Amino acid sequence: MATEQTTGQPSESISSVLSERRKFPPPEAFSSKSHISSMEQYEKLYADAAADPDKYWGELAGQFHWFKPWDSVLEWNAPFAKWFNGGKTNISYNCLDVHVNSWRKNKAAIIWEGEEGNERILTYGELHRQVSKFANVLKIAGIKPGDRVAIYMGMVPELIIAVLACARVGAVHNVIFAGFAAHAITERVNDSRAKMVICADGTRRRGGSINLKNIVDEAIVNTPSIRNVIVLKVTNEKITMHDGMDHWWHDLMGLAEDECEAVQLDSEHPLFLLYTSGSTGKPKGILHTTGGYMVHAASSFKYVFDIKDEDIYFCTADIGWITGHSYMVYGPLLNGATVFMYEGAPNYPQWDRFWDIINRHKITIFYTAPTAIRAFIRAGNEWVTKHDLRSLRLLGTVGEPINPEAWMWYHKYVGQEKCPIVDTWWQTETGGIMVSPMPGATPTKPGTATRSLPGIMVDVVRKDGTACEANEGGYLVIKQPWPSMLRTIYGDDERYEKTYWSEFPGMYFTGDGARKDDDGYIWIMGRVDDVVNVSGHRLGTSEVESALVSHEAVAEAAVVSRPDDIKGNALVAFVTLKDGYEGDAKLRDALGKHVAKEIGAIAKPDEIKWAKGLPKTRSGKIMRRLLRELASSNEIKGDVTTLEDIGVIENLREQEDE
Ligand code: WT7
């Protein structure tokens, strides 16, 4: 299906309306004890890193264990990077063995709470033992360095064990969010030609459970590369274990030795794949490698979250997304931190679950998403105010722009007006945080991620690549390679080059619109391509369109977004039916279910509108801009001169008035 190219909007069309004047300097009590405690210190680090990036990154990398030192910090053959090339290391060794050989051996690595309130604590020593055992399981199953392993399970400690065991033997993990449907697993397994799936029988959700193994069974009917499925018992689902193919986690662990030396891997050895939406229907397998990812995930975690050994850090993200990879697993464990992990839903059994957790476990750092904050605001202040949150010292957000009002609420009710807030901008592709306040140094303003981390060269540019003036809207780019950058789109160097490096020659294009204010703070204005951010997760509108069109009743579909109070954006689908089908409530419901089945519930359109035809240009491209206007205001203000048939719009509007 032809889609209108919207990436190339002129910069005049990005107009920024927010003007936020409140400013919050970091509290003195926080600054005095933080790793970066003043703007002068930040500016100096920033300037030094800009002047000599190799020195800056080389020094950070030197803090890790390398079996063999690197030959060069960066080899840049644009747009392909090699960081710490020639060096040999293992990220699981740096997450575990390093701490087990120190006083941290008996420190809690993971404190886990199940939805039903049950608890587990894994010390670094115990986590090391479990990971080593499971690494032996992988070896016995014939997994070799470079083999791809898909992981599909809920938020239980074994998910972290599986991830680290892959890293230990050099297998490339591909975690698939447990909310995705069978088709999404099939697609990812086939694209990566994974050999194995590690899954759970089920996952708990809001007092009930979801049978994951049945979904895996359905998915792997069409995946010739899968040889084995390892199944962790979590919920006691009714499942079928297939002889030869399926094995219980506990049976295999019972047989495995608990010592397994970490494999010495090249710095550029692939570490993981994580699939994310782009502006076409096919998800992109974002490839991250070992050494560079390790250095930035760890150092960004240390500086942005100002981590100390006494902290208990709670990140609410699912490990199925990049936030879970970098800031629940690798960043914290590389720093020897204590991570709090919660299995279930934020509103189970009630809307105060997170606040109750913070109070009971004395959480000190809390990292969540704006969409969650907006949902808490709607649920009512009393859920927060009845809990003692005095243990908190730092708050964070990620996933989408935070509206200033939500920021103020977070600051007042959760942060008790004493916790700095780090609004962290980054992407699956960047591997780690790129733009964020340094909590002990940067004065914050509600709604902006402020400035980039030392060593990270972001800018806002015009269509022609020249830098924008202050307050002029433009495109957010990154002007120099950074260690945790994606290395390619798995199996598709050409798409990698085209998607990220062709729009602005010599620069990485993020896909986001942005402006810098007078203080040089970056304000993200949302995506400029056909990608929509729903509840902090990226969805390609064309993926949802493909799912709709795969339904027998649908001839053509266009999906756009409109602003939504809770989710940030809501999806609106304009659907043209094939002859003989009636656009009624029943079909609407069926299409919603169909999309949920094809992609997952997060992709379900919030609204489906029947369209006799879709507005197209004379060359047949769908004019999404018009549909976006219709979806959010039911009015068309923009230019319609390129429209092939004006009657189409009239038809769509008539339906509104029905
Ligand atoms: C897109 C990346 C990085 C983990 C979560 C999402 C948007 C992310 C912010 C923020 C404004 C943000 C951007 C970005 N985004 N964080 N703090 N302020 N926008 O990862 O699915 O790869 O999506 O999320 O549009 O490009 P992702």
Side-chain angles (χ1 to χ4, degrees):
M1 188 189 319
T3 54
E4 187 188 3
Q5 240 314 352
T6 47
T7 347
Q9 291 159 353
S11 75
E12 304 88 81
S13 71
I14 303 182
S15 54
S16 179
V17 288
L18 270 174
S19 71
E20 174 61 56
R21 295 188 200 289
R22 287 168 287 205
K23 209 167 183 173
F24 296 84
E28 168 57 28
F30 189 100
S31 293
S32 59
K33 296 192 205 97
S34 59
H35 295 306
I36 299 181
S37 57
S38 67
M39 270 322 251
E40 293 70 52
Q41 197 188 340
Y42 161 80
E43 298 284 11
K44 171 139 188 6
L45 264 177
Y46 193 91
D48 289 350
D52 192 348
D54 279 19
K55 179 161 178 275
Y56 177 76
W57 294 116
E59 276 174 14
L60 287 174
Q63 297 167 15
F64 296 92
H65 179 84
W66 296 81
F67 299 107
K68 178 178 171 280
W70 58 88
D71 302 323
S72 57
V73 171
L74 170 65
E75 280 170 36
W76 181 231
N77 181 7
F80 299 98
K82 286 186 177 155
W83 282 88
F84 311 109
N85 205 26
K88 285 199 187 282
T89 187
N90 184 298
I91 197 168
S92 141
Y93 186 97
N94 278 289
C95 286
L96 300 169
D97 304 54
V98 164
H99 307 308
V100 168
N101 297 330
S102 78
W103 67 267
R104 291 197 182 97
K105 178 167 187 263
N106 297 322
K107 177 180 172 175
I110 302 170
I111 302 178
W112 177 85
E113 182 169 300
E115 225 188 37
E116 298 307 326
N118 42 326
E119 284 176 22
R120 287 168 65 189
I121 296 179
L122 282 91
T123 61
Y124 274 92
E126 182 57 19
L127 185 60
H128 178 256
R129 205 173 73 85
Q130 299 277 338
V131 168
S132 301
K133 261 176 162 252
F134 197 67
N136 282 326
V137 168
L138 293 176
K139 278 193 191 163
I140 294 165
I143 296 297
K144 300 264 178 315
D147 285 347
R148 277 80 55 210
V149 171
I151 303 178
Y152 184 68
M153 55 210 291
M155 289 286 283
V156 289
E158 283 79 4
L159 173 48
I160 296 184
I161 293 169
V163 160
L164 292 175
C166 286
R168 199 163 185 84
V169 303
V172 184
H173 55 79
N174 173 16
V175 181
I176 301 170
F177 172 56
F180 279 136
H183 174 74
I185 306 177
T186 309
E187 197 172 32
R188 284 158 177 74
V189 164
N190 284 338
D191 187 73
S192 63
R193 279 165 286 120
K195 266 195 185 167
M196 176 188 274
V197 180
I198 303 168
C199 70
D201 58 346
T203 182
R204 291 192 190 85
R205 200 65 185 170
R206 248 170 234 123
S209 72
I210 299 162
N211 187 318
L212 297 179
K213 174 63 165 59
N214 282 352
I215 299 174
V216 170
D217 287 348
E218 185 189 337
I220 65 167
V221 170
N222 300 312
T223 58
S225 60
I226 293 295
R227 296 194 198 151
N228 288 120
V229 178
I230 298 181
V231 188
L232 176 76
K233 188 171 268 185
V234 174
T235 52
N236 269 311
E237 281 332 282
K238 242 181 114 174
I239 60 168
T240 314
M241 293 292 281
H242 301 96
D243 269 355
M245 176 67 104
D246 300 343
H247 307 273
W248 284 110
W249 173 292
H250 56 261
D251 286 344
L252 299 172
M253 285 292 260
L255 301 171
E257 302 278 340
D258 59 8
E259 269 176 52
C260 176
E261 226 170 274
V263 179
Q264 304 191 4
L265 300 165
D266 289 334
S267 179
E268 281 299 335
H269 187 81
L271 174 64
F272 66 86
L273 284 172
L274 192 59
Y275 282 78
T276 189
S277 299
S279 50
T280 75
K282 190 170 176 265
K284 303 178 283 200
I286 302 302
L287 178 72
H288 283 288
T289 61
T290 304
Y293 174 81
M294 172 170 79
V295 170
H296 187 62
S299 60
S300 58
F301 182 74
K302 176 176 169 184
Y303 291 124
V304 172
F305 295 103
D306 190 49
I307 197 73
K308 307 281 166 51
D309 267 311
E310 305 77 49
D311 281 312
I312 302 184
Y313 161 88
F314 178 17
C315 167
T316 68
D318 192 287
I319 294 174
W321 311 107
I322 189 69
T323 306
H325 283 59
S326 301
Y327 299 112
M328 274 211 65
V329 183
Y330 290 115
L333 298 180
L334 287 163
N335 280 281
T338 298
V339 180
F340 182 86
M341 179 179 193
Y342 169 56
E343 179 183 38
N347 57 351
Y348 182 80
Q350 305 188 97
W351 272 107
D352 61 347
R353 185 60 181 263
F354 286 175
W355 322 127
D356 184 39
I357 285 175
I358 291 170
N359 174 28
R360 278 186 290 108
H361 292 274
K362 301 291 174 264
I363 303 291
T364 60
I365 305 173
F366 180 67
Y367 191 31
T368 195
T371 184
I373 297 169
R374 290 191 297 265
F376 295 134
I377 296 173
R378 178 166 288 189
N381 296 348
E382 62 279 12
W383 293 113
V384 189
T385 51
K386 72 180 193 194
H387 292 281
D388 176 356
L389 305 181
R390 277 176 303 173
S391 59
L392 287 173
R393 65 181 198 93
L394 176 61
L395 304 175
T397 72
V398 61
E400 59 183 309
I402 179 164
N403 356 26
E405 291 323 308
W407 194 103
M408 289 304 297
W409 184 91
Y410 198 33
H411 169 72
K412 180 166 177 205
Y413 289 98
V414 184
Q416 314 132 81
E417 301 183 344
K418 66 159 193 173
C419 299
I421 297 178
V422 286
D423 173 353
T424 62
W425 179 91
W426 56 299
Q427 308 179 298
T428 306
E429 291 87 343
T430 68
I433 296 169
M434 306 298 274
V435 183
S436 167
M438 297 292 114
T442 316
T444 53
K445 300 183 210 177
T448 164
T450 74
R451 293 182 45 191
S452 61
L453 270 60
I456 304 295
M457 300 295 145
V458 302
D459 206 355
V460 178
V461 299
R462 307 190 178 104
K463 183 101 194 68
D464 63 6
T466 55
C468 287
E469 309 270 329
N471 296 314
E472 177 187 349
Y475 302 87
L476 188 70
V477 297
I478 306 169
K479 288 185 158 167
Q480 265 177 33
W482 64 102
S484 62
M485 62 188 277
L486 77 163
R487 296 302 190 265
T488 190
I489 294 172
Y490 191 71
D492 200 344
D493 286 352
E494 208 177 301
R495 187 174 177 199
Y496 164 69
E497 201 156 356
K498 188 161 172 285
T499 309
Y500 303 108
W501 299 93
S502 66
E503 202 79 35
F504 303 97
M507 304 177 207
Y508 168 91
F509 179 42
T510 63
D512 283 355
R515 76 173 162 94
K516 271 191 197 170
D517 69 12
D518 295 321
D519 292 327
Y521 284 16
I522 289 167
W523 296 76
I524 303 293
M525 288 146 53
R527 304 286 311 183
V528 299
D529 52 16
D530 290 328
V531 172
V532 184
N533 194 321
V534 177
S535 301
H537 298 301
R538 235 199 296 180
L539 290 172
T541 48
S542 61
E543 267 177 272
V544 185
E545 286 163 3
S546 307
L548 284 166
V549 174
S550 73
H551 187 278
E552 54 178 12
V554 177
E556 198 172 33
V559 173
V560 297
S561 67
R562 65 162 161 70
D564 179 86
D565 283 350
I566 300 280
K567 299 164 80 172
N569 290 288
L571 290 178
V572 181
F574 293 86
V575 172
T576 309
L577 295 173
K578 288 183 188 154
D579 281 347
Y581 287 92
E582 186 67 40
D584 55 17
K586 214 172 123 213
L587 184 57
R588 214 177 243 130
D589 187 52
L591 290 182
K593 288 203 175 109
H594 181 71
V595 173
K597 184 168 182 311
E598 288 293 303
I599 307 177
I602 45 167
K604 221 164 140 171
D606 298 87
E607 228 180 288
I608 294 178
K609 294 174 180 285
W610 309 119
K612 282 183 198 130
L614 294 172
K616 290 186 186 165
T617 61
R618 267 155 256 225
S619 62
K621 289 179 180 169
I622 295 174
M623 294 182 75
R624 280 149 205 290
R625 174 174 58 80
L626 301 185
L627 293 176
R628 269 194 290 270
E629 283 184 52
L630 267 181
S632 43
S633 66
N634 196 27
E635 252 186 283
I636 304 280
K637 293 197 206 82
D639 175 30
V640 290
T641 50
T642 53
L643 190 64
E644 176 212 39
D645 175 8
I646 189 84
V648 165
I649 291 289
E650 290 311 315
N651 275 331
L652 287 171
R653 293 189 49 189
E654 277 162 26
Q655 188 199 307
E656 294 294 321
D657 307 331
E658 270 168 20

